């Protein structure tokens, strides 16, 4: 939710800092994402800056849309402006989330409760603001930059003096209001400086202590000063336009000045959000990545006990941050398969229930809780674990079978040569160096299931809960039997028999080819996540897709050698709906353009 006070970010870009790499006190110190009632914690400092010229022009459009003695908008244009103004206000109220009085009422309605971040309504707010900006800027240019009413071009001084003497109506109120607002901006800057002690006390309470708090206050003061200066310049340019100093042949000067102020303002505000990377340097490989690539389609790697928590490395912050770098960059670029979840705001029920079956039921975890964790690695084809050498005995103690975990490579994290020696240390400045006595290690969990396996024995539990219970039970051997949540024929072997491994010929995100040779009718298990939109073909003939081991994919195959293809083919219904919506939108725009031309076309001569 967006705190109401942080609505100031629409007109003062860095008043609460930036959620980027901190530079000289630009740390985000606002309260977006902070739990209700909490005194500390920052989640996101998303940029909500609209640009001062954008806001000023939008306010002009709203102010001039009122019925006056000298109206500049017709009735239809006024309706448009009021509509988009009301939508902007409504979007802002929704973006305040639990900071607004009607939050609980609105977000208890159907579908509203699925909105994870109410601040997303600021997207709609900015969209409405841009439309109002267009109305305001169009009016200023058309009305005040056209040919001078006197028919002759005066000097800037003469034109401004003549306008000032005859100033009245809304324009007079606007000019006086501009002077008042500019004065308030500079007074606010001085008031902020005088409140330095109370702001520092607040920063200390929220975790920004020492010199960092001083830097944040200095940065915020600078942002307020820039705001006041840009506001004064913007309102001065608008006043010059109102005086018709840029009318006639000088109209181009108005375009240039407005363009320069808009460009300079938005460039300054957006610059802290831009990070520059040398992609060849950032995605540079290292010995560990090179060791994972050859078998990336045959096994998964993890750095956690669970996909969304519980690091195997418990006392090395550097390793955790570097692993995140690999997980979000090198693993994605090179298609290295990992069990760990990067981002999943709303976990599907199927995944959540599957993970709950292996998650610790107690805090701290009991021995029984820990013994369920290796079963998760086993069922998900997670063969490689990245951990700390000192945790080897801890990992071994939770294995189902003694000796199922082996250290294959030890390594250290070392700095690689930075492209710019003066740049601050970042995670992409770190590489791996294999060493016999390395602090970290690649551990192989040899009891993990293969990526694809052929089973001649399978079972169909009575319920999904029973499936999860069986999977988590130490008495169940996933190497000998597979659990099916679909209708299949009776198994060939009544007694469990160890599964045979199948060969993955080609692996792409939407297309997996497997060669399988079965001595009898069997079930081919592919340890990849099940989804009903996957299609499976055996020797070119489509077959029913099976849900195996609660969350994995499979297919029933006859005896013999087969080529099995899993292909992801979602329905195109959603595409047709999108195309229909696009066609209606384009048709509506075309209709409005034609009607607008007809309305402005001159009447035929009788």
């Amino acid at each position: 939710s967006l705190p109401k006070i942080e609505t100031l970010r629409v007109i003062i870009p860095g008043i609460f800092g930036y959620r980027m790499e901190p530079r000289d006190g630009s740390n985000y110190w606002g309260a977006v994402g902070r739990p209700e009632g909490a005194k500390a914690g920052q989640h996101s400092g998303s940029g909500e800056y609209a640009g001062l010229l954008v806001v000023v022009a939008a306010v002009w459009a709203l102010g001039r849309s009122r019925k006056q003695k000298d109206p500049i908008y017709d009735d239809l244009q006024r309706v448009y402006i009021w509509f988009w103004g009301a939508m902007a206000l409504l979007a802002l109220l929704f973006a305040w989330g639990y900071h607004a009085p009607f939050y609980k009422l609105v977000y208890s309605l159907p579908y509203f409760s699925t909105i994870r971040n109410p601040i997303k309504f600021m997207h709609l707010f900015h969209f409405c603001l841009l439309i109002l900006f267009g109305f305001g800027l169009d009016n200023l240019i058309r009305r005040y930059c056209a040919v001078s009413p006197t028919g002759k071009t005066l000097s800037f001084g003469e034109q401004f003096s003549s306008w000032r003497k005859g100033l009245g109506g809304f324009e007079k109120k606007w000019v006086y209001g501009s002077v008042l607002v500019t004065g308030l901006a500079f007074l606010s800057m001085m008031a902020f400086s005088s409140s330095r002690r109370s702001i520092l006390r607040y920063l200390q309470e929220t975790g920004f202590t020492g010199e960092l708090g001083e830097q944040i206050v200095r940065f915020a003061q600078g942002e307020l000063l820039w705001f006041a200066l840009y506001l004064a310049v913007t309102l001065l340019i608008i006043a010059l336009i109102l005086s018709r100093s840029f009318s006639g042949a000088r109209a181009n000067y108005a375009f240039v000045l407005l363009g320069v102020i808009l460009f300079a303002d938005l460039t300054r505000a957006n610059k802290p959000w831009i990070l520059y990377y040398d992609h060849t340097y950032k995605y540079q490989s290292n010995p560990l990545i090179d060791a994972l690539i050859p078998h990336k389609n045959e096994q998964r790697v993890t750095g956690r006990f669970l996909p969304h928590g519980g690091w195997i490395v418990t006392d090395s912050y550097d390793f955790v941050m570097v692993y995140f770098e690999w997980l979000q960059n090198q693993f994605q670029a090179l298609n290295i398969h990992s069990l760990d979840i990067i981002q999943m705001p709303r976990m599907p029920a199927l995944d959540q229930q599957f993970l709950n079956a292996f998650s610790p039921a107690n805090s701290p975890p009991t021995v029984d809780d820990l013994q369920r964790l290796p079963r998760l690695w086993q069922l998900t084809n997670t063969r490689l674990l990245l951990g700390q050498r000192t945790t080897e005995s801890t990992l071994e103690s939770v294995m189902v079978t003694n000796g199922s975990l082996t250290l294959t490579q030890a390594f250290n994290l070392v700095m690689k040569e930075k492209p710019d020696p003066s740049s601050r240390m970042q995670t992409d400045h770190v590489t791996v160096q294999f060493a016999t006595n390395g602090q970290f290690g690649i551990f192989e969990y040899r009891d993990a299931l293969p990526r694809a396996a052929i089973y001649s024995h399978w079972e169909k539990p009575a319920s999904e809960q029973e499936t999860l219970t069986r999977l988590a039970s130490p008495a169940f051997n996933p190497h000998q039997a597979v659990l099916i949540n679909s209708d299949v024929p009776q198994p060939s072997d009544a007694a469990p028999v160890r599964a045979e491994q199948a060969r993955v010929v080609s692996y792409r995100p939407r297309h997996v080819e497997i060669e399988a040779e079965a001595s009898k009718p069997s079930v081919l298990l592919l340890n990849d996540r099940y989804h009903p939109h996957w299609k499976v073909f055996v020797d070119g003939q489509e077959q029913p897709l099976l849900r195996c081991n609660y969350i994995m994919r499979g297919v029933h195959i006859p005896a013999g050698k087969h080529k099995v293809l899993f292909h992801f083919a979602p329905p195109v219904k959603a595409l047709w709906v999108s195309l229909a919506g696009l066609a209606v939108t384009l048709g509506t725009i075309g209709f409005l353009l034609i009607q607008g031309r007809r309305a402005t076309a001159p009447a035929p001569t009788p």
Side-chain angles (χ1 to χ4, degrees):
S1 299
L2 178 70
K4 291 191 284 292
I5 186 64
E6 293 194 40
T7 309
L8 287 173
R9 291 192 295 172
V10 173
I11 56 174
I12 312 176
I15 183 64
F16 290 96
Y18 294 89
R19 188 67 171 184
M20 300 295 288
E21 293 185 358
R23 299 184 182 94
D24 302 325
S26 63
N27 308 64
Y28 175 66
W29 56 280
V32 172
R34 182 179 299 174
E36 190 172 3
K39 292 185 177 181
Q42 289 78 32
H43 175 69
S44 172
S46 57
E48 302 298 343
Y49 187 60
L52 282 173
L53 179 59
V54 174
V55 174
V56 168
V59 172
W60 170 268
L62 288 169
R64 287 300 265 156
S65 64
R66 296 173 57 245
K67 284 193 174 183
Q68 302 165 16
K69 294 181 180 179
D70 182 24
I72 61 174
Y73 293 113
D74 59 34
D75 291 340
L76 183 59
Q77 289 175 325
R78 281 200 297 270
V79 170
Y80 287 156
I81 293 172
W82 295 342
F83 170 79
W84 291 112
M87 289 295 292
L89 177 61
L90 191 63
L92 181 61
L93 295 176
F94 283 164
W96 285 347
Y98 71 78
H99 300 289
F102 53 85
Y103 167 78
K104 292 183 179 179
L105 173 63
V106 172
Y107 287 94
S108 63
L109 297 175
Y111 298 105
F112 273 87
S113 60
T114 63
I115 298 175
R116 180 168 174 255
N117 297 325
I119 196 174
K120 290 179 179 178
F121 278 103
M122 289 301 291
H123 297 322
L124 177 60
F125 170 82
H126 287 288
F127 179 79
C128 299
L129 200 63
L130 282 175
I131 295 176
L132 295 174
F133 163 67
F135 272 106
L137 192 63
D138 178 76
N139 171 258
L140 286 169
I141 297 298
R142 289 179 182 273
R143 184 177 179 86
Y144 297 98
C145 292
V147 179
S148 174
T150 60
K152 57 182 180 178
T153 303
L154 303 177
S155 66
F156 279 105
E158 292 173 337
Q159 183 66 46
F160 191 82
S161 176
S162 173
W163 169 73
R164 184 175 58 82
K165 292 178 181 179
L167 187 63
F170 182 82
E171 294 178 8
K172 182 177 181 180
K173 295 177 182 178
W174 176 269
V175 172
Y176 287 169
S178 298
V179 174
L180 176 62
V181 169
T182 304
L184 289 176
F186 283 97
L187 286 175
S188 299
M189 182 181 62
M190 291 186 287
F192 186 89
S193 299
S194 64
S195 304
R196 184 184 189 90
R197 289 186 179 180
S198 60
I199 296 173
L200 284 173
R201 192 181 311 114
Y202 169 81
L203 291 173
Q204 290 176 354
E205 292 175 354
T206 54
F208 300 97
T209 58
E211 178 60 24
L212 180 57
E214 295 282 353
Q215 292 178 350
I216 289 175
V217 172
R218 287 196 296 269
F219 183 84
Q221 287 176 328
E223 292 297 305
L224 277 168
L225 175 60
W226 279 113
F227 159 70
L229 292 175
Y230 271 101
L231 179 64
V233 173
T234 300
L235 292 176
L236 176 60
I237 294 175
I238 297 297
L240 290 174
I241 291 175
L242 296 180
S243 70
R244 300 183 186 274
S245 297
F246 297 108
S247 61
R250 291 196 291 257
N252 288 336
Y253 292 114
F255 285 103
V256 172
L257 286 174
L258 291 174
V260 168
I261 191 67
L262 184 64
F263 178 81
D265 186 21
L266 293 179
T267 298
R268 182 191 70 84
N270 291 329
K271 189 176 180 181
W273 294 99
I274 302 173
L275 295 179
Y276 297 93
Y277 291 106
D278 179 350
H279 73 280
T280 58
Y281 177 83
K282 184 175 182 64
Y283 288 91
Q284 188 177 32
S285 187
N286 60 59
L288 186 145
I289 299 295
D290 293 338
L292 298 178
I293 290 176
H295 305 287
K296 63 181 181 180
N297 297 334
E298 302 170 7
Q299 57 198 11
R300 288 186 172 87
V301 61
T302 185
R304 291 174 161 184
F305 284 113
L306 291 169
H308 48 72
W311 288 96
I312 297 174
V313 176
T314 57
D315 57 353
S316 177
Y317 176 77
D318 290 340
F319 180 85
V320 170
M321 296 308 296
V322 171
Y323 181 73
F324 263 128
E325 173 77 18
W326 298 339
L327 191 63
Q328 299 185 66
N329 294 282
Q330 281 84 353
F331 283 15
Q332 300 296 309
L334 300 172
N335 199 25
I336 295 173
H337 302 178
S338 174
L339 179 64
D340 298 321
I341 297 172
I342 299 175
Q343 289 189 13
M344 189 178 288
R346 298 182 186 89
M347 184 175 292
L350 191 71
D351 302 64
Q352 188 66 67
Q353 292 163 3
F354 180 75
L355 292 177
N356 288 344
F358 308 99
S359 301
N362 304 280
S363 182
T366 64
V367 175
D368 290 338
D369 287 334
L370 293 176
Q371 286 180 343
R372 290 190 297 181
L373 294 174
R375 176 54 62 86
L376 175 64
W377 301 332
Q378 185 180 45
L379 293 172
T380 55
N381 177 234
T382 305
R383 184 171 293 274
L384 298 181
L385 285 70
L386 304 181
Q388 203 160 348
R389 292 287 300 279
T390 56
T391 65
E392 183 176 2
S393 59
T394 304
L395 292 175
E396 185 67 28
S397 67
V398 302
M399 294 294 101
V400 177
T401 306
N402 291 333
S404 57
L405 188 72
T406 303
L407 175 67
T408 60
Q409 290 276 6
F411 63 91
N412 289 315
L413 298 178
V414 297
M415 294 294 295
K416 57 185 177 182
E417 184 180 354
K418 294 189 288 186
D420 179 7
S422 64
S423 63
R424 192 174 63 84
M425 201 286 286
Q426 299 174 353
T427 52
D428 55 355
H429 294 159
V430 179
T431 187
V432 167
Q433 185 179 71
F434 285 136
T436 305
N437 297 319
Q439 180 184 1
F440 308 100
I442 305 175
F443 300 91
E444 182 181 4
Y445 178 45
R446 296 189 302 277
D447 205 30
L449 293 177
R451 179 57 60 90
I454 303 169
Y455 290 84
S456 59
H457 178 82
W458 55 87
E459 303 172 14
K460 188 175 185 297
S463 66
E464 295 197 348
Q465 183 56 49
E466 184 180 341
T467 301
L468 293 173
T469 303
R470 288 273 289 140
L471 288 173
S473 171
F476 175 69
N477 187 346
H479 285 284
Q480 296 182 346
V482 60
L483 304 184
I484 310 294
N485 288 86
S486 309
D487 293 329
V488 289
Q490 291 296 319
S492 304
D493 292 324
V497 178
R498 190 171 182 85
E500 300 176 2
Q501 185 170 345
R503 189 171 77 91
V504 178
V505 178
S506 174
Y507 194 105
R508 288 175 287 172
R510 299 166 62 98
H511 195 90
V512 182
E513 297 181 23
I514 300 173
E515 283 187 356
E517 186 171 1
S519 57
K520 58 189 71 175
S522 305
V523 167
L524 172 65
L525 167 68
L526 175 61
N527 281 306
D528 279 352
R529 207 270 194 192
Y530 170 89
H531 193 282
H533 293 161
W534 278 94
K535 308 296 182 183
V536 59
F537 300 86
V538 178
D539 299 327
Q541 299 295 319
E542 186 174 359
Q543 300 295 330
L545 180 70
L546 304 180
R547 182 153 67 92
C548 304
N549 286 348
Y550 192 79
I551 201 171
M552 302 301 181
R553 302 199 297 268
V555 63
H556 186 266
I557 59 174
K561 189 174 182 179
H562 306 283
K563 290 185 178 180
V564 182
L565 169 64
F566 289 88
H567 178 68
F568 189 69
V572 297
K573 183 185 297 184
L575 175 61
W576 287 115
V577 172
S578 301
L579 290 176
L582 180 61
V584 170
T585 302
L586 293 176
T588 303
I589 293 174
F591 173 77
L592 293 175
L593 289 174
I594 294 173
Q595 290 295 109
R597 289 182 179 179
R598 289 178 178 176
T600 57
T605 304

